């Protein structure tokens, strides 16, 4: 008889729900008449993300102790489940942002790729060995390469996709080579088995660790591995940029923390220093470069690089408290990131061109919801009170201080002070200049009616502010998830 591995279908249900939605969206693209495809495929994608979020929540509630799945290639624990909830909710909001996006054709294919990318990320955060880690990474990366180029009538979109493909392929190759070196040094691919192998200070193991860390740094847009981020964020469709900025960072940060703590605990003195250096470089480069930007998507791209630095401070702590801070930070950050790009999308559709700081002139008076939401997102990025960004940064700094990295706290505070210059400048342009004075009238007259986009912005705003007032419940969930790893 063939000894087949036992499959926990309940643990895999969020991934399967998104894969099912992707398949249905593809069928819609083939079977339904063109006038029905956009609404039907968008509704299918939204339902897929909603079902995945509910199923991930049920997995979180029903899981008490971590368990290995499918020949120890996957893990079922609360850390993966909470990350899956964040990813699924993020995907659902991005579907709302995408709903009224101008696209001549390919609606079914777009939502099929979006849900397939979400399925890959949901699969990725549960990886328990180097093989499934690489497979999950390539799964969602291949979908994103195509999504970035989806606006085929724009040269910028095609250029961004080509850059992302080349740099992303190089990053994946570095990670794969590092995995091969780790396997050569230990003879194992499972995270816990790698930790148990007596490799000592083997040069191959340390080189493999460095290359795995570099490969993951490409995905989280950490400097100096960030070179693709500004161009790709600017050239991609804005809804895809919103998804990448929040979901990709969530998945890669959670997996990076899991890999480092689970597979390389004996090398913690080395990788904590390396991650701390990456955090400092990301904070410095992201904030200083953002000061010179006029295009709003490029500004937000450099802001994303700086926030990768804050998240890496939590990873550098390498403790349970650091993981709690990381998970909490990802909640308001995901909401603020998707919400800010949703406002950019609204302005793009109104003006019919790329959004610069000057293009924001008067938006706060003309579109009160979008104006208020944008300044709340900017203040949240900066860590102001009444937004979850305040507690996110406080928890990250607290974890770093407890780990003895007080100097990282000083770097983070200095970076926050620099970021005020460009975040408050966005607010200034929203309210202190009028579009009429600068003759920036909308290209098409009245702005397009887009209730789904307004709902996405409002939902992001609620989470951004709500995570300030509901900080303790979110932190309790993060603590339950953090207990899944062996600290």
């Amino acid at each position: 008889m063939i000894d087949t591995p036992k499959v926990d279908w309940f643990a895999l249900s969020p991934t399967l729900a998104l894969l099912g939605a992707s398949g249905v969206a593809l069928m819609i693209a083939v079977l339904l008449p063109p006038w029905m495809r956009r609404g039907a495929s968008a509704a299918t994608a939204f339902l897929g993300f909603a079902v995945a979020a509910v199923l991930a929540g049920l997995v979180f509630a029903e899981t008490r102790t971590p368990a290995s799945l499918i020949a120890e290639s996957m893990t079922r624990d609360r850390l993966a489940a909470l990350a899956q909830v964040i990813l699924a909710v993020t995907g659902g909001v991005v579907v709302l942002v995408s709903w009224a996006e101008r696209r001549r054709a390919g609606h079914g294919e777009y939502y099929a790729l979006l849900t397939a990318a979400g399925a890959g990320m949901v699969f990725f955060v549960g990886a328990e060995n180097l093989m499934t880690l690489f497979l999950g990474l390539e799964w969602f990366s291949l979908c994103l390469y195509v999504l970035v180029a989806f606006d085929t009538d724009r040269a910028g979109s095609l250029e961004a996709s080509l850059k992302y493909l080349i740099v992303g392929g190089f990053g994946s190759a570095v990670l794969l080579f590092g995995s091969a070196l780790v396997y050569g040094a230990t003879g194992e691919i499972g995270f816990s088995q790698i930790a148990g192998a007596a490799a000592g200070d083997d040069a191959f193991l340390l080189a493999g660790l460095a290359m795995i860390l570099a490969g993951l740094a490409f995905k989280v847009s950490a400097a100096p591995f960030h070179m693709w981020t500004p161009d790709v964020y600017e050239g991609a469709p804005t809804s895809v940029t919103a998804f990448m900025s929040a979901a990709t960072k969530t998945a890669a940060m959670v997996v990076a923390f899991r890999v480092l703590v689970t597979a390389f605990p004996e090398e913690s003195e080395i990788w904590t220093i390396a991650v701390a250096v990456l955090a400092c470089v990301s904070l410095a480069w992201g904030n200083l470069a953002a000061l010179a930007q006029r295009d709003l998507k490029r500004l937000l791209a450099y802001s994303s690089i700086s926030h990768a630095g804050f998240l890496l401070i939590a990873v550098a702590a390498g403790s349970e408290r650091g993981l709690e801070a990381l998970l909490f930070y990802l909640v308001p950050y995901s909401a603020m990131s998707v919400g800010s790009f949703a406002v950019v999308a609204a302005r793009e559709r109104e003006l019919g061109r790329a959004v610069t700081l000057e293009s924001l002139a008067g938006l706060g008076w003309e579109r009160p919801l979008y104006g208020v939401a944008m300044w709340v997102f900017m203040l949240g990025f900066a860590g102001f009170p009444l937004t979850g960004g305040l507690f996110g940064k406080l928890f990250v700094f607290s974890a770093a201080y407890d780990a003895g990295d007080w100097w990282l706290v000083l770097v983070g505070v200095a970076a926050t002070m620099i970021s005020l210059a460009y975040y408050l400048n966005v607010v200034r342009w929203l309210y202190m200049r009028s579009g009429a004075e600068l003759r920036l009238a909308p290209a098409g007259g009245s702005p397009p009616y887009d209730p789904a986009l307004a709902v996405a912005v409002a939902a992001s705003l609620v989470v951004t502010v709500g995570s300030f007032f509901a900080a303790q419940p979110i932190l309790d969930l993060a603590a339950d998830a953090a207990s899944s790893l062996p600290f």
Side-chain angles (χ1 to χ4, degrees), residues 18-19 21-27 29 41 45 106-118 143 147:
L18 288 170
L19 281 178
S22 180
V24 173
L26 277 179
M27 295 299 293
S41 55
H107 296 286
E109 293 87 344
Y110 170 84
Y111 289 108
L113 286 167
L114 187 66
T115 49
C143 296
L147 285 170

Side-chain angles (χ1 to χ4, degrees), residues 60-424:
F60 182 94
E62 297 296 326
T63 302
R64 294 293 181 267
T65 58
S68 295
L69 311 175
I70 316 175
E72 299 185 348
S73 62
M74 301 289 296
T75 186
R76 171 181 171 175
D77 60 15
R78 288 189 163 184
L79 173 59
L82 182 58
Q84 289 168 353
V85 172
I86 297 173
L87 290 168
V89 172
T90 299
V93 177
V94 169
V95 171
L96 296 177
V97 177
S98 308
W99 200 292
E101 202 161 36
R102 294 177 184 141
R103 189 173 294 112
R104 288 181 300 192
H107 296 286
E109 293 87 344
Y110 170 84
Y111 289 108
L113 286 167
L114 187 66
T115 49
M121 293 177 184
V122 167
F123 177 86
F124 181 60
V125 295
E128 197 177 18
N129 66 30
L130 296 174
M131 181 183 67
T132 48
L133 182 149
F134 181 74
L135 290 175
L137 182 72
E138 289 304 289
W139 178 346
F140 73 79
S141 294
L142 291 172
C143 296
L144 291 177
Y145 297 152
V146 182
L147 285 170
V148 170
F150 215 81
D151 285 350
T152 55
D153 56 338
R154 291 176 53 236
S157 182
L158 298 174
E159 178 186 349
S161 179
L162 183 59
K163 289 180 179 179
Y164 191 28
L165 174 63
I166 294 172
V167 178
F170 181 76
S172 298
V174 169
L175 186 144
L176 185 59
F177 194 6
S179 300
L181 290 176
V182 170
Y183 176 71
T186 63
E188 303 287 350
I189 61 172
F191 298 159
S192 57
Q193 288 77 17
I194 291 172
D201 294 328
D202 188 287
F204 284 110
L205 178 68
L206 297 180
L209 168 59
M211 296 182 79
I212 289 174
L213 183 58
L216 292 172
F218 273 102
K219 288 301 174 185
V220 301
S221 304
F225 307 100
H226 69 287
M227 67 287 294
W228 59 273
T229 308
D231 291 337
V232 173
Y233 277 31
E234 181 184 14
T238 304
S239 57
V240 176
T241 304
F243 186 66
M244 292 172 61
S245 67
T248 303
K249 195 170 263 74
T250 296
M253 281 291 181
V254 169
V255 170
F257 204 111
R258 182 191 293 278
V259 171
L260 294 173
V261 169
T262 307
F264 303 101
E266 299 300 322
E267 293 75 24
S268 60
E269 292 185 1
I270 297 174
W271 61 255
T272 51
I273 295 174
V275 172
V277 170
L278 289 175
C280 292
V281 176
S282 298
L283 289 169
W285 194 277
N287 284 296
L288 292 176
L291 294 173
Q293 304 306 313
R294 307 305 295 175
D295 185 281
L296 195 56
K297 288 174 75 173
R298 291 185 71 88
L299 185 150
L300 291 174
Y302 282 108
S303 168
S304 174
I305 294 168
S306 73
H307 281 280
F310 286 111
L311 292 164
L312 287 172
I313 291 177
V315 177
S319 62
E320 187 169 357
R321 190 161 188 176
L323 182 53
E324 292 172 10
L326 174 69
L327 292 171
F328 182 93
Y329 198 110
L330 287 170
V331 173
Y333 171 77
S334 297
M336 294 183 295
S337 188
V338 173
S340 58
F341 280 109
V343 175
V344 172
R347 196 60 165 174
E348 277 182 345
R349 296 168 193 176
E350 180 180 343
L351 299 178
R353 58 179 178 268
V355 177
T356 62
L357 289 175
E358 291 80 3
S359 301
L360 289 177
L363 178 65
W365 304 115
E366 299 163 11
R367 314 284 177 261
L369 172 62
Y370 296 153
V372 169
M374 194 63 167
W375 68 253
V376 170
F377 299 145
M378 294 300 105
L379 297 184
F381 281 139
F384 273 65
L386 300 185
T387 69
L390 171 67
F391 285 124
K393 291 188 176 181
L394 286 178
F395 294 151
V396 165
F397 293 158
S398 176
Y401 184 81
D402 285 350
D405 298 331
W406 57 268
W407 57 277
L408 273 179
V409 178
L410 297 181
V411 173
V413 171
T416 300
M417 293 175 65
I418 294 173
S419 72
L420 293 177
Y422 59 88
Y423 287 137
L424 295 182

